[in-house]
């Protein structure tokens, strides 16, 4: 079982813009696609503390979760995933994916209010983007991919 958290990062609480990050082209699951920042964690670390660690390790800034958006279970070809999705704001500093230290090192970032940027990665099974678009009412429950095959990830 793998546990992850993902964030819809905003500069301030309830801003319209959010931070989208681009995955590296050599990424096994979603190469070169725009998505949401995410990080794995292991209990007893809490999802909220993992969100804060995500800010430091992946974005080089302090972030604070302020809203829990949901959880998602997904079976992937090589593991089972439980993902927690939060909205967070920047507490201190400025996000910069070039400061990423561990795990997936993102190659680009953009502030946007265009949720459509997340549809391509959601269609290939990104749990966090599916859950966020579902939360926004842009995906229906029957559109959610809860059991992925290797072909889904292409």
């Amino acid at each position: 079982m793998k546990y992850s958290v993902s964030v819809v990062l905003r500069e301030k609480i309830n801003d319209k813009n959010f931070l989208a990050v681009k995955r590296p082209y050599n990424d096994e699951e979603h190469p070169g696609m725009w998505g949401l920042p995410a990080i794995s964690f292991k209990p007893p670390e809490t999802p909220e503390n993992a969100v804060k660690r995500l800010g430091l390790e992946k974005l080089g800034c302090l972030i604070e979760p302020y809203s829990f958006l949901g959880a998602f279970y997904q079976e992937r070809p090589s593991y089972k995933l439980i993902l927690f999705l939060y909205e967070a704001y920047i507490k201190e500093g400025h996000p910069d994916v070039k400061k990423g230290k561990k795990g997936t090192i993102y190659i680009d970032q953009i502030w946007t209010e265009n949720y459509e940027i997340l549809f391509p990665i959601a269609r290939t099974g990104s749990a966090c983007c599916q859950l966020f678009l579902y939360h926004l009412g842009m995906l229906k429950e029957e559109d959610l991919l809860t059991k992925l095959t290797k072909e889904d990830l292409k």
Side-chain angles (χ1 to χ4, degrees):
M1 186 67 66
K2 180 178 176 180
Y3 298 89
S4 294
V5 294
S6 185
V7 296
V8 178
L9 183 62
R10 305 195 188 269
E11 291 186 271
K12 299 177 196 163
I13 294 175
N14 297 324
D15 270 359
K16 290 191 185 274
N17 284 340
F18 67 96
L19 185 72
V21 294
K22 191 170 192 177
R23 299 181 72 87
Y25 290 102
N26 64 352
D27 187 83
E28 287 183 22
E29 295 183 344
H30 305 291
M33 300 183 102
W34 289 99
L36 297 172
I39 197 166
S40 296
F41 73 97
K42 292 182 179 166
E45 183 179 26
T46 65
E48 293 83 2
N49 283 341
V51 167
K52 294 175 184 181
R53 185 168 55 83
L54 182 156
L56 293 171
E57 291 181 9
K58 299 253 187 157
L59 304 173
C61 64
L62 295 175
I63 65 176
E64 187 72 30
Y66 69 88
S67 180
F68 175 67
L69 300 180
F72 194 78
Y73 172 80
Q74 188 177 67
E75 292 182 23
R76 294 193 170 183
S78 59
Y79 61 92
K80 294 176 181 171
L81 172 69
I82 296 178
L83 175 112
F84 301 88
L85 182 63
Y86 287 84
E87 278 187 294
Y89 70 93
I90 299 171
K91 192 171 182 180
E92 185 179 309
H94 302 283
D96 182 355
V97 295
K98 292 178 178 63
K99 294 179 183 176
K101 299 175 188 171
K102 293 182 180 177
T104 302
I105 306 296
Y106 306 119
I107 59 171
D108 203 356
Q109 68 187 45
I110 186 171
W111 288 101
T112 183
E113 60 181 64
N114 179 10
Y115 302 119
E116 307 270 330
I117 197 171
L118 303 176
F119 272 106
I121 197 169
R123 287 187 187 110
T124 62
S126 167
C128 58
C129 292
Q130 286 184 82
L131 183 56
F132 184 45
L133 293 170
Y134 175 78
H135 175 79
L136 294 170
M138 299 176 82
L139 279 183
K140 297 177 183 168
E141 189 171 345
E142 58 266 19
D143 297 327
L144 301 176
L145 300 173
T146 56
K147 189 169 185 175
L148 297 180
T149 65
K150 288 183 180 180
E151 289 74 38
D152 292 322
L153 296 170
K154 293 180 179 177

